[in-house]
mmCIF file of all heavy atoms in Angstrom:
data_model
loop_
_atom_site.group_PDB
_atom_site.id
_atom_site.type_symbol
_atom_site.label_atom_id
_atom_site.label_comp_id
_atom_site.label_asym_id
_atom_site.label_seq_id
_atom_site.Cartn_x
_atom_site.Cartn_y
_atom_site.Cartn_z
ATOM 1 N N MET D 335 38.885 10.170 5.295
ATOM 2 C CA MET D 335 40.177 10.845 5.299
ATOM 3 C C MET D 335 41.218 9.840 5.770
ATOM 4 O O MET D 335 41.005 9.153 6.767
ATOM 5 C CB MET D 335 40.112 12.018 6.269
ATOM 6 C CG MET D 335 41.163 13.026 5.988
ATOM 7 S SD MET D 335 40.790 14.540 6.878
ATOM 8 C CE MET D 335 42.382 15.307 6.680
ATOM 9 N N MET D 336 42.332 9.747 5.004
ATOM 10 C CA MET D 336 43.351 8.747 5.347
ATOM 11 C C MET D 336 44.731 9.364 5.311
ATOM 12 O O MET D 336 45.046 10.159 4.430
ATOM 13 C CB MET D 336 43.384 7.628 4.305
ATOM 14 C CG MET D 336 42.108 6.886 4.175
ATOM 15 S SD MET D 336 42.252 5.729 2.802
ATOM 16 C CE MET D 336 40.532 5.226 2.736
ATOM 17 N N THR D 337 45.573 8.911 6.252
ATOM 18 C CA THR D 337 46.984 9.273 6.216
ATOM 19 C C THR D 337 47.784 7.977 6.266
ATOM 20 O O THR D 337 47.523 7.114 7.106
ATOM 21 C CB THR D 337 47.366 10.151 7.428
ATOM 22 O OG1 THR D 337 46.397 11.189 7.547
ATOM 23 C CG2 THR D 337 48.740 10.766 7.235
ATOM 24 N N ILE D 338 48.705 7.838 5.313
ATOM 25 C CA ILE D 338 49.555 6.642 5.272
ATOM 26 C C ILE D 338 51.005 7.074 5.538
ATOM 27 O O ILE D 338 51.490 8.072 4.976
ATOM 28 C CB ILE D 338 49.458 5.940 3.892
ATOM 29 C CG1 ILE D 338 48.052 5.365 3.688
ATOM 30 C CG2 ILE D 338 50.570 4.907 3.727
ATOM 31 C CD1 ILE D 338 47.897 3.869 3.826
ATOM 32 N N TYR D 339 51.652 6.324 6.437
ATOM 33 C CA TYR D 339 53.055 6.582 6.779
ATOM 34 C C TYR D 339 53.892 5.413 6.273
ATOM 35 O O TYR D 339 53.489 4.258 6.460
ATOM 36 C CB TYR D 339 53.230 6.659 8.298
ATOM 37 C CG TYR D 339 52.359 7.710 8.953
ATOM 38 C CD1 TYR D 339 51.039 7.420 9.298
ATOM 39 C CD2 TYR D 339 52.866 8.989 9.248
ATOM 40 C CE1 TYR D 339 50.232 8.371 9.901
ATOM 41 C CE2 TYR D 339 52.060 9.944 9.857
ATOM 42 C CZ TYR D 339 50.755 9.631 10.182
ATOM 43 O OH TYR D 339 49.959 10.579 10.785
ATOM 44 N N ILE D 340 55.051 5.718 5.654
ATOM 45 C CA ILE D 340 55.888 4.593 5.186
ATOM 46 C C ILE D 340 57.329 4.721 5.676
ATOM 47 O O ILE D 340 57.839 5.825 5.899
ATOM 48 C CB ILE D 340 55.897 4.465 3.641
ATOM 49 C CG1 ILE D 340 56.357 5.783 2.979
ATOM 50 C CG2 ILE D 340 54.556 4.031 3.114
ATOM 51 C CD1 ILE D 340 56.587 5.662 1.472
ATOM 52 N N LYS D 341 57.937 3.545 5.853
ATOM 53 C CA LYS D 341 59.385 3.449 6.068
ATOM 54 C C LYS D 341 59.939 2.709 4.843
ATOM 55 O O LYS D 341 59.357 1.700 4.399
ATOM 56 C CB LYS D 341 59.704 2.617 7.320
ATOM 57 C CG LYS D 341 59.504 3.332 8.645
ATOM 58 C CD LYS D 341 60.337 4.588 8.799
ATOM 59 C CE LYS D 341 61.780 4.284 9.219
ATOM 60 N NZ LYS D 341 62.531 5.587 9.366
ATOM 61 N N VAL D 342 61.037 3.221 4.301
ATOM 62 C CA VAL D 342 61.599 2.639 3.087
ATOM 63 C C VAL D 342 63.064 2.292 3.326
ATOM 64 O O VAL D 342 63.800 3.066 3.965
ATOM 65 C CB VAL D 342 61.500 3.641 1.915
ATOM 66 C CG1 VAL D 342 62.043 3.013 0.629
ATOM 67 C CG2 VAL D 342 60.059 4.108 1.715
ATOM 68 N N LYS D 343 63.457 1.100 2.872
ATOM 69 C CA LYS D 343 64.875 0.742 2.930
ATOM 70 C C LYS D 343 65.229 0.033 1.636
ATOM 71 O O LYS D 343 64.574 -0.950 1.277
ATOM 72 C CB LYS D 343 65.127 -0.196 4.132
ATOM 73 C CG LYS D 343 66.584 -0.222 4.529
ATOM 74 C CD LYS D 343 66.840 -1.009 5.799
ATOM 75 C CE LYS D 343 68.344 -1.183 5.957
ATOM 76 N NZ LYS D 343 68.656 -2.210 6.962
ATOM 77 N N ASP D 344 66.248 0.567 0.918
ATOM 78 C CA ASP D 344 66.660 -0.017 -0.367
ATOM 79 C C ASP D 344 65.471 -0.171 -1.318
ATOM 80 O O ASP D 344 65.245 -1.242 -1.911
ATOM 81 C CB ASP D 344 67.307 -1.410 -0.167
ATOM 82 C CG ASP D 344 68.529 -1.334 0.723
ATOM 83 O OD1 ASP D 344 69.152 -0.240 0.764
ATOM 84 O OD2 ASP D 344 68.822 -2.343 1.390
ATOM 85 N N ASP D 345 64.718 0.923 -1.430
ATOM 86 C CA ASP D 345 63.543 0.935 -2.332
ATOM 87 C C ASP D 345 62.469 -0.076 -1.964
ATOM 88 O O ASP D 345 61.583 -0.362 -2.770
ATOM 89 C CB ASP D 345 63.971 0.685 -3.785
ATOM 90 C CG ASP D 345 64.249 2.004 -4.484
ATOM 91 O OD1 ASP D 345 64.195 3.061 -3.812
ATOM 92 O OD2 ASP D 345 64.531 1.970 -5.694
ATOM 93 N N ILE D 346 62.582 -0.622 -0.749
ATOM 94 C CA ILE D 346 61.550 -1.575 -0.328
ATOM 95 C C ILE D 346 60.772 -0.997 0.851
ATOM 96 O O ILE D 346 61.355 -0.357 1.744
ATOM 97 C CB ILE D 346 62.198 -2.932 0.035
ATOM 98 C CG1 ILE D 346 62.598 -3.627 -1.289
ATOM 99 C CG2 ILE D 346 61.261 -3.813 0.856
ATOM 100 C CD1 ILE D 346 63.243 -4.966 -1.125
ATOM 101 N N LEU D 347 59.438 -1.194 0.819
ATOM 102 C CA LEU D 347 58.582 -0.686 1.901
ATOM 103 C C LEU D 347 58.729 -1.621 3.100
ATOM 104 O O LEU D 347 58.206 -2.725 3.115
ATOM 105 C CB LEU D 347 57.114 -0.654 1.444
ATOM 106 C CG LEU D 347 56.783 0.428 0.409
ATOM 107 C CD1 LEU D 347 55.471 0.124 -0.292
ATOM 108 C CD2 LEU D 347 56.743 1.798 1.069
ATOM 109 N N THR D 348 59.438 -1.158 4.116
ATOM 110 C CA THR D 348 59.675 -2.024 5.272
ATOM 111 C C THR D 348 58.568 -1.896 6.307
ATOM 112 O O THR D 348 58.339 -2.799 7.103
ATOM 113 C CB THR D 348 61.022 -1.685 5.934
ATOM 114 O OG1 THR D 348 61.029 -0.287 6.230
ATOM 115 C CG2 THR D 348 62.165 -2.031 5.000
ATOM 116 N N ASN D 349 57.914 -0.779 6.297
ATOM 117 C CA ASN D 349 56.801 -0.611 7.246
ATOM 118 C C ASN D 349 55.788 0.383 6.680
ATOM 119 O O ASN D 349 56.158 1.335 5.996
ATOM 120 C CB ASN D 349 57.329 -0.126 8.611
ATOM 121 C CG ASN D 349 56.286 -0.350 9.708
ATOM 122 O OD1 ASN D 349 55.250 -0.978 9.478
ATOM 123 N ND2 ASN D 349 56.552 0.170 10.903
ATOM 124 N N ILE D 350 54.539 0.108 6.979
ATOM 125 C CA ILE D 350 53.458 1.023 6.578
ATOM 126 C C ILE D 350 52.467 1.105 7.730
ATOM 127 O O ILE D 350 52.131 0.088 8.344
ATOM 128 C CB ILE D 350 52.696 0.519 5.321
ATOM 129 C CG1 ILE D 350 53.672 0.099 4.211
ATOM 130 C CG2 ILE D 350 51.727 1.583 4.819
ATOM 131 C CD1 ILE D 350 52.977 -0.395 2.932
ATOM 132 N N LYS D 351 52.045 2.325 8.025
ATOM 133 C CA LYS D 351 51.010 2.495 9.055
ATOM 134 C C LYS D 351 49.944 3.433 8.512
ATOM 135 O O LYS D 351 50.204 4.213 7.591
ATOM 136 C CB LYS D 351 51.626 3.119 10.326
ATOM 137 C CG LYS D 351 52.633 2.226 11.031
ATOM 138 C CD LYS D 351 52.002 1.569 12.231
ATOM 139 C CE LYS D 351 53.040 0.775 13.030
ATOM 140 N NZ LYS D 351 52.376 -0.153 13.969
ATOM 141 N N PHE D 352 48.747 3.347 9.103
ATOM 142 C CA PHE D 352 47.696 4.259 8.622
ATOM 143 C C PHE D 352 46.873 4.817 9.770
ATOM 144 O O PHE D 352 46.782 4.227 10.861
ATOM 145 C CB PHE D 352 46.782 3.535 7.634
ATOM 146 C CG PHE D 352 45.735 2.681 8.298
ATOM 147 C CD1 PHE D 352 44.478 3.214 8.619
ATOM 148 C CD2 PHE D 352 45.981 1.358 8.627
ATOM 149 C CE1 PHE D 352 43.506 2.433 9.231
ATOM 150 C CE2 PHE D 352 45.016 0.571 9.242
ATOM 151 C CZ PHE D 352 43.769 1.107 9.542
ATOM 152 N N LYS D 353 46.294 5.949 9.461
ATOM 153 C CA LYS D 353 45.240 6.509 10.327
ATOM 154 C C LYS D 353 44.099 6.906 9.407
ATOM 155 O O LYS D 353 44.325 7.568 8.384
ATOM 156 C CB LYS D 353 45.769 7.735 11.076
ATOM 157 C CG LYS D 353 46.655 7.378 12.264
ATOM 158 C CD LYS D 353 46.397 8.314 13.417
ATOM 159 C CE LYS D 353 46.848 7.747 14.734
ATOM 160 N NZ LYS D 353 46.514 8.667 15.851
ATOM 161 N N THR D 354 42.905 6.481 9.753
ATOM 162 C CA THR D 354 41.767 6.735 8.867
ATOM 163 C C THR D 354 40.548 7.192 9.645
ATOM 164 O O THR D 354 40.212 6.630 10.695
ATOM 165 C CB THR D 354 41.438 5.462 8.059
ATOM 166 O OG1 THR D 354 42.483 5.234 7.122
ATOM 167 C CG2 THR D 354 40.127 5.592 7.303
ATOM 168 N N PHE D 355 39.932 8.226 9.098
ATOM 169 C CA PHE D 355 38.606 8.658 9.549
ATOM 170 C C PHE D 355 37.667 8.274 8.414
ATOM 171 O O PHE D 355 37.855 8.748 7.283
ATOM 172 C CB PHE D 355 38.611 10.180 9.758
ATOM 173 C CG PHE D 355 37.240 10.803 9.813
ATOM 174 C CD1 PHE D 355 36.505 10.805 10.986
ATOM 175 C CD2 PHE D 355 36.693 11.418 8.690
ATOM 176 C CE1 PHE D 355 35.248 11.399 11.036
ATOM 177 C CE2 PHE D 355 35.431 12.001 8.725
ATOM 178 C CZ PHE D 355 34.704 11.999 9.909
ATOM 179 N N GLY D 356 36.737 7.389 8.697
ATOM 180 C CA GLY D 356 35.843 7.005 7.606
ATOM 181 C C GLY D 356 35.040 5.779 7.921
ATOM 182 O O GLY D 356 35.105 5.219 9.023
ATOM 183 N N CYS D 357 34.326 5.338 6.925
ATOM 184 C CA CYS D 357 33.409 4.216 7.088
ATOM 185 C C CYS D 357 34.161 2.895 7.128
ATOM 186 O O CYS D 357 35.392 2.852 7.018
ATOM 187 C CB CYS D 357 32.389 4.213 5.961
ATOM 188 S SG CYS D 357 33.131 3.871 4.365
ATOM 189 N N GLY D 358 33.421 1.827 7.264
ATOM 190 C CA GLY D 358 34.020 0.500 7.332
ATOM 191 C C GLY D 358 34.914 0.218 6.138
ATOM 192 O O GLY D 358 36.028 -0.311 6.284
ATOM 193 N N ALA D 359 34.478 0.580 4.945
ATOM 194 C CA ALA D 359 35.260 0.311 3.737
ATOM 195 C C ALA D 359 36.555 1.114 3.747
ATOM 196 O O ALA D 359 37.613 0.620 3.331
ATOM 197 C CB ALA D 359 34.439 0.651 2.493
ATOM 198 N N ALA D 360 36.485 2.330 4.216
ATOM 199 C CA ALA D 360 37.688 3.172 4.248
ATOM 200 C C ALA D 360 38.727 2.570 5.183
ATOM 201 O O ALA D 360 39.929 2.513 4.866
ATOM 202 C CB ALA D 360 37.312 4.588 4.698
ATOM 203 N N ILE D 361 38.279 2.096 6.327
ATOM 204 C CA ILE D 361 39.209 1.494 7.296
ATOM 205 C C ILE D 361 39.741 0.169 6.762
ATOM 206 O O ILE D 361 40.949 -0.099 6.818
ATOM 207 C CB ILE D 361 38.511 1.338 8.669
ATOM 208 C CG1 ILE D 361 38.271 2.731 9.277
ATOM 209 C CG2 ILE D 361 39.344 0.460 9.601
ATOM 210 C CD1 ILE D 361 37.392 2.753 10.511
ATOM 211 N N ALA D 362 38.887 -0.645 6.198
ATOM 212 C CA ALA D 362 39.315 -1.952 5.706
ATOM 213 C C ALA D 362 40.309 -1.807 4.553
ATOM 214 O O ALA D 362 41.303 -2.540 4.482
ATOM 215 C CB ALA D 362 38.099 -2.771 5.267
ATOM 216 N N THR D 363 40.042 -0.896 3.632
ATOM 217 C CA THR D 363 40.976 -0.737 2.503
ATOM 218 C C THR D 363 42.310 -0.174 2.991
ATOM 219 O O THR D 363 43.372 -0.541 2.487
ATOM 220 C CB THR D 363 40.394 0.171 1.399
ATOM 221 O OG1 THR D 363 39.955 1.394 1.983
ATOM 222 C CG2 THR D 363 39.239 -0.493 0.682
ATOM 223 N N SER D 364 42.273 0.690 4.003
ATOM 224 C CA SER D 364 43.521 1.211 4.572
ATOM 225 C C SER D 364 44.341 0.070 5.145
ATOM 226 O O SER D 364 45.546 -0.069 4.880
ATOM 227 C CB SER D 364 43.219 2.215 5.691
ATOM 228 O OG SER D 364 42.399 3.257 5.230
#
Side-chain angles (χ1 to χ4, degrees):
Chain D
M335 201 166 166
M336 300 174 189
T337 312
I338 293 255
Y339 303 85
I340 56 171
K341 283 301 279 181
V342 182
K343 200 174 170 194
D344 301 334
D345 269 5
I346 285 180
L347 289 162
T348 54
N349 197 7
I350 312 181
K351 294 259 186 196
F352 81 90
K353 282 218 160 183
T354 290
F355 162 83
C357 67
I361 291 170
T363 52
S364 304

